């Protein structure tokens, strides 16, 4: 129409292809693998491990003797779940004293407690001045294993020898097995919990078991009876311990188990003793004796201290 020819519109500029947003993934640095053994033992020993130290512990244990009032042989009570190794611990202690393997307490792998009655073992060898007492195992179900009230009666000396535990019905003062007027020597002067290190480390202790243990602990604490814990089967927990028992206080797995036992049972770590019972061996080994003897020595010392304290109070 008389004007300049209209120019076509320029083509659109190509748009850049959008790029996906860069994802930044944060990863924790790989954790260093925990070594099986610590560089220095987490429980130091003054003595060098060897037959000489083992014999020294035996001689010291045999020489411990205390007579407070009417008590000439303090009572040491073993408590623990079934298959924890209570009876095997008893046999191991008697084996050390005899210098050969013995089988005083029945052992087995059944799912029910092998020990169904209260048994006082006659003191011989390392225990010639003490009485070792065994009971039915602690079980998960309220209607299995011993009744907690029976253990309270036992600690106070009210249960006669060979009393058969009935978890559904606690002992009463009307039962023929009830001892109404116990002598001081018939009471318990130290309680020893025996626990399987494998079960503890795997977290297999049930809530029912924990409740029973907690209830039991409260009753024992009310009576100020000293408590010691023996941690069995540590050779199955740690291969290094299985290879050489001298690694027992350097094993990180055993150390962790001791700490866990302390938390669950509210017992100081210094009162918790990892041991290797005699199971399957045919000969006594002085080195394997050492952890067992260390545990027994503390148990006996605690019973003696408790007796001395209570004898002083009665005076």
């Amino acid at each position: 129409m008389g004007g300049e020819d209209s120019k076509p519109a320029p083509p659109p500029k190509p748009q850049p292809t959008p790029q996906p947003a860069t994802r930044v993934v944060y990863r924790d640095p790989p954790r260093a693998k925990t070594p099986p053994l610590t560089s220095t033992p987490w429980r130091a020993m003054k003595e060098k491990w060897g037959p000489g130290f083992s014999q020294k512990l035996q001689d010291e244990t045999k020489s411990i003797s205390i007579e407070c009032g009417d008590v000439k042989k303090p009572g040491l009570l073993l408590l623990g779940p079934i298959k924890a190794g209570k009876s095997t611990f008893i046999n191991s202690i008697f084996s050390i004293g005899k210098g050969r393997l013995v089988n005083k307490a029945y052992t087995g792998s059944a799912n029910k407690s092998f020990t169904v009655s209260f048994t006082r073992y006659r003191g011989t060898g390392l225990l010639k001045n003490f009485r070792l007492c065994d009971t039915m195992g602690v079980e998960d179900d309220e209607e299995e294993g011993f009744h907690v009230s029976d253990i309270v009666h036992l600690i106070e000396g009210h249960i006669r020898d060979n009393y058969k535990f009935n978890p559904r019905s606690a002992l009463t003062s009307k039962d023929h097995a009830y001892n109404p007027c116990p002598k001081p020597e018939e009471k318990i002067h130290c309680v020893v919990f025996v626990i399987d290190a494998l079960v503890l480390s795997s977290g297999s202790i049930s809530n029912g078991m924990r409740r029973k243990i907690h209830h039991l602990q409260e009753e024992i604490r009310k009576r100020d009876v000293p408590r010691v814990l023996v941690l069995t089967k540590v050779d199955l927990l740690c291969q290094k311990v299985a290879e050489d028992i001298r690694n027992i206080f350097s094993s990180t797995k055993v150390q962790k188990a001791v700490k866990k036992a302390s938390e669950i049972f509210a017992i100081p770590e210094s009162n918790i003793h990892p041991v290797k019972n005699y199971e399957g061996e045919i000969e006594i080994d002085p080195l394997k004796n050492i952890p067992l003897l260390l545990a027994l020595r503390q148990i006996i010392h605690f019973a003696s201290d408790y007796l001395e304290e209570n004898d002083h109070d009665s005076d």
Side-chain angles (χ1 to χ4, degrees):
M1 294 184 50
E4 296 182 356
D5 294 338
S6 60
K7 296 180 180 180
K13 294 181 179 181
Q15 297 296 318
T17 303
Q19 299 295 321
T22 303
R23 290 182 61 194
V24 179
V25 179
Y26 294 96
R27 290 186 174 90
D28 292 332
R31 293 183 180 181
K33 189 176 181 180
T34 304
L37 301 177
T38 56
S39 55
T40 57
W42 46 266
R43 181 169 291 177
M45 303 299 303
K46 292 182 180 179
E47 301 279 351
K48 184 178 179 181
W49 280 57
F53 183 33
S54 180
Q55 188 60 51
K56 180 179 178 181
L57 286 170
Q58 285 194 58
D59 294 341
E60 182 180 344
T61 304
K62 286 180 182 178
S63 67
I64 299 174
S65 174
I66 182 170
E67 293 187 16
C68 289
D70 296 329
V71 180
K72 296 178 176 60
K73 292 188 176 183
L76 316 174
L77 175 64
L78 270 63
L79 296 175
I82 58 173
K83 298 190 291 185
K86 291 191 294 98
S87 297
T88 312
F89 178 72
I90 292 171
N91 288 334
S92 296
I93 294 301
F94 281 119
S95 294
I96 295 173
K98 287 274 190 179
R100 60 170 177 81
L101 295 179
V102 300
N103 187 32
K104 278 181 174 283
Y106 289 109
T107 61
S109 57
N111 290 326
K112 297 297 179 182
S113 180
F114 243 71
T115 306
V116 295
S117 59
F118 171 52
T119 305
R120 284 189 178 98
Y121 289 94
R122 189 177 65 181
T124 60
L126 296 174
L127 292 167
K128 65 179 182 179
N129 299 319
F130 296 84
R131 294 175 299 108
L132 198 58
C133 306
D134 195 13
T135 64
M136 194 174 192
V138 183
E139 298 191 36
D140 295 350
D141 197 322
E142 288 297 328
E143 295 189 352
E144 298 294 342
F146 62 70
H147 198 286
V148 172
S149 297
D150 278 350
I151 299 302
V152 174
H153 288 317
L154 200 161
I155 291 172
E156 295 177 341
H158 292 299
I159 291 183
R160 302 185 193 278
D161 285 4
N162 301 317
Y163 163 69
K164 290 188 177 181
F165 294 95
N166 182 356
R168 295 171 181 80
S169 177
L171 183 75
T172 69
S173 58
K174 296 180 181 179
D175 292 321
H176 72 278
Y178 186 86
N179 181 6
C181 300
K183 300 175 183 177
E185 187 163 281
E186 293 173 317
K187 299 181 180 182
I188 296 300
H189 306 97
C190 184
V191 173
V192 183
F193 286 94
V194 181
I195 303 297
D196 184 330
L198 281 175
V199 173
L200 182 77
S201 298
S202 64
S204 301
I205 297 181
S206 68
N207 290 331
M209 180 76 70
R210 287 173 185 255
R211 283 193 296 270
K212 269 193 176 182
I213 290 172
H214 178 73
H215 186 186
L216 198 52
Q217 290 274 46
E218 289 298 315
E219 294 297 333
I220 295 170
R221 276 196 290 262
K222 286 178 186 177
R223 291 155 180 80
D224 294 324
V225 178
R227 297 164 298 140
V228 175
L229 191 145
V230 172
L231 202 58
T232 63
K233 305 181 184 179
V234 293
D235 57 312
L236 301 181
L237 179 67
C238 177
Q239 180 62 32
K240 292 293 184 181
V241 176
E243 294 169 359
D244 189 341
I245 192 66
R246 290 172 293 185
N247 290 328
I248 196 168
F249 297 140
S250 296
S251 167
T252 52
K253 288 184 178 180
V254 174
Q255 182 185 30
K256 186 177 179 180
V258 168
K259 290 181 178 296
K260 193 168 185 178
S262 179
E263 294 170 3
I264 293 175
F265 287 84
I267 293 177
E269 290 180 27
S270 58
N271 298 3
I272 298 174
H273 294 270
V275 303
K276 160 66 173 91
N277 284 331
Y278 280 104
E279 292 183 275
E281 295 88 348
I282 60 173
E283 297 286 345
I284 297 296
D285 183 346
L287 297 186
K288 289 181 181 177
N289 291 350
I290 290 174
L292 290 160
L293 289 167
L294 289 171
L296 182 61
R297 182 178 66 174
Q298 187 182 70
I299 292 166
I300 290 175
H301 279 155
F302 279 9
S304 299
D305 293 342
Y306 174 73
L307 261 175
E308 289 176 349
E309 183 66 25
N310 282 272
D311 185 61
H312 174 73
D313 289 345
S314 63
D315 291 344

